[in-house]
Amino acid sequence: MLKPETRDRLKSVSTATICTALFKRGLRNQFVQDVQPLNPDAGTMVGEAYTLRYIPAREDLNPISVFRDRGHPQRKAVEECPEGAVFVIDSRKNPRAASAGSILVSRLMKRGVAGIVTDGGFRDSGEIAKLDIPSYHNRPSAPTNLTLHQAIDINVPIGCGDVAVFPGDVVVGDCDGVVIIPAAIADEIAEETVEMTAFEDFVTEEVLKGRSILGLYPATDDRTQEDFAAWRASANR
Amino acid sequence: MLKPETRDRLKSVSTATICTALFKRGLRNQFVQDVQPLNPDAGTMVGEAYTLRYIPAREDLNPISVFRDRGHPQRKAVEECPEGAVFVIDSRKNPRAASAGSILVSRLMKRGVAGIVTDGGFRDSGEIAKLDIPSYHNRPSAPTNLTLHQAIDINVPIGCGDVAVFPGDVVVGDCDGVVIIPAAIADEIAEETVEMTAFEDFVTEEVLKGRSILGLYPATDDRTQEDFAAWRASANR
Amino acid sequence: MLKPETRDRLKSVSTATICTALFKRGLRNQFVQDVQPLNPDAGTMVGEAYTLRYIPAREDLNPISVFRDRGHPQRKAVEECPEGAVFVIDSRKNPRAASAGSILVSRLMKRGVAGIVTDGGFRDSGEIAKLDIPSYHNRPSAPTNLTLHQAIDINVPIGCGDVAVFPGDVVVGDCDGVVIIPAAIADEIAEETVEMTAFEDFVTEEVLKGRSILGLYPATDDRTQEDFAAWRASANR
Amino acid sequence: MLKPETRDRLKSVSTATICTALFKRGLRNQFVQDVQPLNPDAGTMVGEAYTLRYIPAREDLNPISVFRDRGHPQRKAVEECPEGAVFVIDSRKNPRAASAGSILVSRLMKRGVAGIVTDGGFRDSGEIAKLDIPSYHNRPSAPTNLTLHQAIDINVPIGCGDVAVFPGDVVVGDCDGVVIIPAAIADEIAEETVEMTAFEDFVTEEVLKGRSILGLYPATDDRTQEDFAAWRASANR
Amino acid sequence: MLKPETRDRLKSVSTATICTALFKRGLRNQFVQDVQPLNPDAGTMVGEAYTLRYIPAREDLNPISVFRDRGHPQRKAVEECPEGAVFVIDSRKNPRAASAGSILVSRLMKRGVAGIVTDGGFRDSGEIAKLDIPSYHNRPSAPTNLTLHQAIDINVPIGCGDVAVFPGDVVVGDCDGVVIIPAAIADEIAEETVEMTAFEDFVTEEVLKGRSILGLYPATDDRTQEDFAAWRASANR
Amino acid sequence: MLKPETRDRLKSVSTATICTALFKRGLRNQFVQDVQPLNPDAGTMVGEAYTLRYIPAREDLNPISVFRDRGHPQRKAVEECPEGAVFVIDSRKNPRAASAGSILVSRLMKRGVAGIVTDGGFRDSGEIAKLDIPSYHNRPSAPTNLTLHQAIDINVPIGCGDVAVFPGDVVVGDCDGVVIIPAAIADEIAEETVEMTAFEDFVTEEVLKGRSILGLYPATDDRTQEDFAAWRASANR
């Protein structure tokens, strides 16, 4: 389970910093490729992955009437995704039909879900952009998902944007996009990236004052370490 | 001819809803792939398709001087496209040179054309974004169209974003992108989607109040039908 | 060296107009394909190209510790790029890892660099979007550049977005994207495009008044030339 | 279960004819896109689908030692795939690392498996090309599958080359590639395509004698029907 | 009309040499991108372009029954393409459904057509590979063309593999692929490339004897010119 | 320098086995993506990398006359590439114009060069396929390299098919494609892969006799180790 303090810490750091922390551990491929936020002002998204797997739609199995079945995996998943989780859809990187639309995303929002990610596209993208739930996709796509996608599995390991996503992995999203943190290291990544962020904020301030990055970033000059210590003290970080 | 009431109805619905209505009729491939609005606040675009076909440019046939010919198909089309129509360009999904620029789009706007769509790109995209005519393309592209495109045919059937577009088809655009409605079914699609939209608006309201989608969307619970009837009465829709 | 008056002239014209002037000289491939501004309101970018070449990263050569070397080409380049130049990175059109992040871009801004362009992606894209330095990339990308890129050469001829970029070429960027002007013709292109822009502004005004483009654009009617002369006189251009 | 006579019939027809029979039933998307035979002379492949699902590989979960686990899904699947079945791998259309190599394909061959298909690539492609088991992939790929793929599920519904593949569907492969026949209609498709093939063989003979296709293909001339009846009688088909 | 001696000359030269001759005239974009011969041993293909234009298929307009219409453009074109011409299809670079199959290609062969080119794919590719008519496509594709393509126009200017093809242009194909020579310069290109080929054959012989390319290719050494003159005399070329 | 025994060892192993040995060392990205042999029967290619870097061609700098300059980097490189080396070209993965043609490849062959690799395409591909020098490209391409490529640097670090190639790295090619071994570990990779190949050959023999892969591959059963020892003894390996 994602600890509240880990969630809070991850809300205060960037996907870029997390990617660097993962890179140091040999995890080079955790950034979901080619998705973007519909509502970049919705704030940093953090939550455990709850997944939905799509396969290509076969016409005879996907008439519009399938949604009348309350057990249809897409609808079932929307009602069962836990509060605080992030709903992650494997759309096989295919945005030519929608992964979901504004009604389902609204329902997720109302249920307290922390965000939604697809490597395909959303329909009603203008509506979703106004909702208060961080949402990430490749590009808008008006056709109903039945056109190309069949929801087949709930909460199994999937691929999303070329990244492995296991249920329970921690998903973080910001302006740059979405990163997947393996569940087992979420706490340590959160701690480490909070530290890294303090240093990066210090560096940014120094750079904006006109200081050279050499010796500063990374901190190969002794003076940098000293200045950073002083900055932390004065900034209370 | 596009009836005024059909135009009005289509202005009040979304491309997503239209795609679903077309899907029910077996038309799964009417959404123009991978184009986006330059001016998403310009409102829903509706009009009959007036088409322009490009082929690859051969260097000797496309010096800058070709535009001195008043019969050049691109310029001729801009002056002849009917008021209220949508100007649709087959740029072979190639945005590496422009399909058109702000002067031509301005002229279309002044002539009362309802919108412009290309599966390539526009130059002067910053200017076009400020014009009061809905415009859709793949991405900005500064090179003159002569670099890669030769305008060859006016108002013939074309492909645009992997969709068949016949002159007279009804073109609708919103935030999600652009959909092509076959001329023969435009009236019925308009009627049906207005009805669908009423239901979707009702569902959205209910969802935002916290109601589950099960039994509501689609309306498999009897209560949903009753609630919807009451909503329509009270909302005058 | 880029003359101040050439810089000023190029700041007043568009990449679209420059592309047309280059096209007339047989240069059809100077527009950097598929990059977009992060901060489109930062104004037109003009400067001489200062280049950085990346090759694919080999894991053993690119641990996080490489940045401790003050001679690392990426960091060295950021400190040595001349004031007024544009920093252009050959990222092999690969945005799956970052080309740079907000700290380096901030440093470039503080050093008076005129802009930055990559055919890959930037991390910290939300931060960069707020900086007062025109920045162009393909899409946001959070992973550290060491994941996929190794900086290898400073200020050599490179490719960027399928365009040849030689150090000293003049780089211009606006809403549409980025164009590369060969150094030897920058002055004449600047002069010519200022003239072309005057005419295009005149045409735009006329079109917005309702005039047909036939005979006006291009100016095949004698009256157009006369009207333009009058317009220039009255508009002081 | 695939009936022996259905298997035999399908061995005598082409994927093109099967695609047409499926098209007539509204199934337009059953051809596995962009795979090719390594050993086109190995004959037509027919068998029921036995599937293996890959997700992207996470580095810490996929060291070379994972294959020491006898329960590793890739190895387990190779030993459990039924005789006469076709082994179909969902490699997410990613041929940048191998889906399998010659040792595993040899084992499948020895176990009597009817063929193997991946929408990724095989390593040891030169060896596989010499084996007597029909094999289809996108392109050769030497890196071990652990580089980019983690085998995760056995015999679940998957996507392969943009087609839905359910365990038990009937897979047919020839020079053109691979088609997936839904299990429930395999018998009727087999019967119908044998009939269609007889007609196509007749047409081909006639065309090679110099006859026009008009009235012949399709058989809109009465004479064509008569000639075909005579041909069937004399050819014993 | 293509002169017999021009046809003969072009049969003796390569597409590479033709591309160089076109390049010298400023025509840089005449090579059909990404098509390959199905039957590379069928010899060099030469003929005037006869074109067929496809647009995306709309489901309601493209049931299997459309081929019962003798006026269907695809079938009509196959019967009307002139002897000695090359049948060139604009399939919008989409090989996901067939452009044609072996029966139509057989009919073209019997009618004396000189070759067939599509920037899509052929079905029955194994059969076509055995026919004695040069055939070029992107890759095999079993689905009937109605799945994705609607034949719409005969013998109009088209794009094929990103090249402009006008009816009557001269089409040449060999192992490398297909090049389009504008009709007006076919004679001069034929003459020039025969000369170039003589020199290249001489150079190849010299290189295979061990001579350096410097001074030889191109012939910047006087001795090269002399040796070539002697070679022509002795080789009767 | 590449030792003769290392060269010999690498000639006896496959690129697949080498990729696995590199993977064990954390090098996951050494396989040149999407190139294929023109002459797969030419045998395994082994040699040290000698590189040529291309950038996009600017029209004014790349008329056909540039080849008259004996110092033109492409021609110079062909004459200077050491005997036994592999000539590797960074064509920016662009096969739309040729990287080289049969005359240059013939010259390399005569000079004793061990092979040639481009991530673009070769012209005269039919001729090259008959030469006795292993050659790898993406696809045939007839246009002269001047159309899109300018040779700019000799023997610098490059990217080829998404792999870093440093001069002196050891390049190995077989049916699957091409792999790059960092110079410093070429000897140990050669030794290790010869051992691995012995085991794989033993496994293949066992599998072809009908043995299960479980316990055999990898050798987790004690009996496998014993059988392998016996096999080596009897097979003299």
Side-chain angles (χ1 to χ4, degrees), chain F residues 192-205:
Chain F
E192 181 173 325
T193 51
V194 164
E195 291 299 296
M196 291 168 69
T197 300
F199 182 67
E200 289 160 3
D201 288 351
F202 159 72
V203 167
T204 296
E205 280 189 23

Side-chain angles (χ1 to χ4, degrees), chain E residues 195 198-203 205-206 211 216 219 221-237:
Chain E
E195 292 298 297
F199 181 68
E200 288 161 4
D201 288 352
F202 159 73
V203 167
E205 281 190 23
E206 292 298 299
R211 191 162 165 178
L216 174 69
D221 274 0
D222 291 345
R223 200 193 118 206
T224 300
Q225 300 288 11
E226 293 157 20
D227 290 352
F228 178 44
W231 180 89
R232 294 198 84 159
S234 80
N236 247 333
R237 291 179 67 175

Side-chain angles (χ1 to χ4, degrees), chain A residues 57-59 62-65 67-70 74-76 78-79 95-97 102-104 106-110 122-126 131 139-144 146-148, chain B residues 14-20 23-24 28-29 31 33-35 93 161-162 174-177 199-201 203-204 207-221:
Chain A
R58 211 175 76 196
E59 293 91 338
N62 290 280
I64 198 77
S65 57
F67 289 134
R68 300 186 69 83
D69 174 9
R70 281 163 177 252
Q74 189 208 43
R75 302 301 164 95
K76 189 163 179 284
V78 165
E79 290 295 335
R96 297 175 70 95
S102 62
I103 289 174
L104 298 194
S106 295
R107 177 63 183 152
L108 290 170
M109 178 183 73
K110 290 304 288 184
F122 292 123
R123 65 199 318 212
D124 314 314
S125 59
L131 295 178
R139 67 174 195 236
S141 186
T144 169
L146 301 173
T147 311
L148 287 173
Chain B
S14 73
T15 57
T17 303
I18 293 169
C19 282
T20 299
F23 175 85
K24 291 180 192 166
R28 309 164 69 93
N29 193 36
F31 183 67
Q33 291 293 336
D34 214 0
V35 303
K93 302 190 289 183
D162 295 341
D174 64 8
C175 276
D176 279 351
F199 181 68
E200 289 160 3
D201 287 352
V203 167
T204 296
V207 164
L208 291 178
K209 286 180 198 159
R211 189 161 166 179
S212 163
I213 54 169
L214 301 181
L216 173 70
Y217 182 63
T220 48
D221 275 1

Side-chain angles (χ1 to χ4, degrees), chain A residues 85-106:
Chain A
V86 173
F87 194 91
V88 185
I89 309 175
D90 174 351
S91 301
R92 307 176 323 284
K93 301 191 290 183
N94 188 339
R96 297 175 70 95
S99 299
S102 62
I103 289 174
L104 298 194
V105 179
S106 295

Side-chain angles (χ1 to χ4, degrees), chain B residues 59 62 64 67-68 70 75 78-79 96 103-104 106-107 109-110 123-125 139-140 142-144 146-147, chain C residues 15-16 19-20 23 28 31 33-34 162 175-176 203-204 207-208 210-215 217-218 220-221:
Chain B
E59 293 91 338
N62 289 280
I64 197 76
F67 289 134
R68 301 187 68 82
R70 281 163 177 251
R75 302 302 164 95
V78 166
E79 290 295 335
R96 297 174 70 95
I103 290 174
L104 298 195
S106 296
R107 178 61 183 154
M109 177 184 73
K110 290 303 289 185
R123 65 200 318 213
D124 314 314
S125 59
R139 66 173 194 236
T144 170
L146 300 173
T147 311
Chain C
T15 58
C19 282
T20 299
F23 176 86
R28 309 164 69 94
F31 183 68
Q33 291 294 336
D34 214 359
D162 295 340
C175 276
D176 280 351
V203 167
T204 296
V207 164
L208 291 178
R211 189 160 165 180
S212 164
I213 53 169
L214 301 181
Y217 181 63
T220 48
D221 275 1

Side-chain angles (χ1 to χ4, degrees), chain A:
Chain A
M1 276 297 296
L2 179 57
K3 294 183 195 161
E5 62 267 32
T6 295
R7 184 186 295 266
D8 288 347
R9 282 177 181 136
L10 291 172
K11 281 207 172 177
S12 73
V13 301
S14 73
T15 57
T17 302
I18 293 169
C19 282
T20 299
L22 294 168
F23 175 85
K24 291 180 192 166
R25 284 160 178 79
L27 298 170
R28 310 163 69 93
N29 193 36
Q30 300 300 117
F31 183 68
V32 178
Q33 291 294 335
D34 214 359
V35 303
Q36 55 179 313
L38 283 89
N39 39 12
D41 298 331
T44 297
M45 171 181 76
V46 181
E48 288 170 287
Y50 177 88
T51 70
L52 180 63
R53 182 164 80 93
Y54 284 170
I55 60 168
R58 211 175 76 196
E59 293 91 338
D60 57 330
L61 299 178
N62 290 280
I64 198 77
S65 57
V66 294
F67 289 134
R68 300 186 69 83
D69 174 9
R70 281 163 177 252
H72 186 277
Q74 189 208 43
R75 302 301 164 95
K76 189 163 179 284
V78 165
E79 290 295 335
E80 295 187 357
C81 178
E83 195 180 327
V86 173
F87 194 91
V88 185
I89 309 175
D90 174 351
S91 301
R92 307 176 323 284
K93 301 191 290 183
N94 188 339
R96 297 175 70 95
S99 299
S102 62
I103 289 174
L104 298 194
V105 179
S106 295
R107 177 63 183 152
L108 290 170
M109 178 183 73
K110 290 304 288 184
R111 294 193 55 254
V113 166
I116 179 166
V117 182
T118 179
D119 57 2
F122 292 123
R123 65 199 318 212
D124 314 314
S125 59
E127 296 308 308
I128 294 174
K130 290 175 204 148
L131 295 178
D132 188 26
I133 174 172
S135 306
Y136 294 80
H137 71 166
N138 177 268
R139 67 174 195 236
S141 186
T144 169
N145 67 325
L146 301 173
T147 311
L148 287 173
H149 300 302
Q150 174 169 350
I152 200 84
D153 270 332
I154 294 178
N155 227 15
V156 297
I158 59 170
C160 184
D162 294 341
V163 180
V165 185
F166 293 85
D169 281 351
V170 179
V171 184
V172 182
D174 64 7
C175 277
D176 279 353
V178 174
V179 67
I180 308 296
I181 310 174
I185 57 171
D187 295 340
E188 69 181 72
I189 292 287
E191 280 189 59
E192 181 172 325
T193 52
V194 164
E195 292 298 297
M196 291 168 69
T197 301
F199 181 68
E200 290 161 3
D201 288 352
F202 159 74
V203 167
T204 297
E205 280 189 25
E206 292 298 298
V207 164
L208 292 177
K209 287 179 197 159
R211 190 160 165 179
S212 163
I213 55 170
L214 300 181
L216 173 69
Y217 182 63
T220 48
D221 275 0
D222 292 344
R223 201 193 116 207
T224 301
Q225 299 288 11
E226 294 156 21
D227 290 353
F228 177 46
W231 180 90
R232 293 199 84 159
S234 79
N236 247 333
R237 292 179 66 175

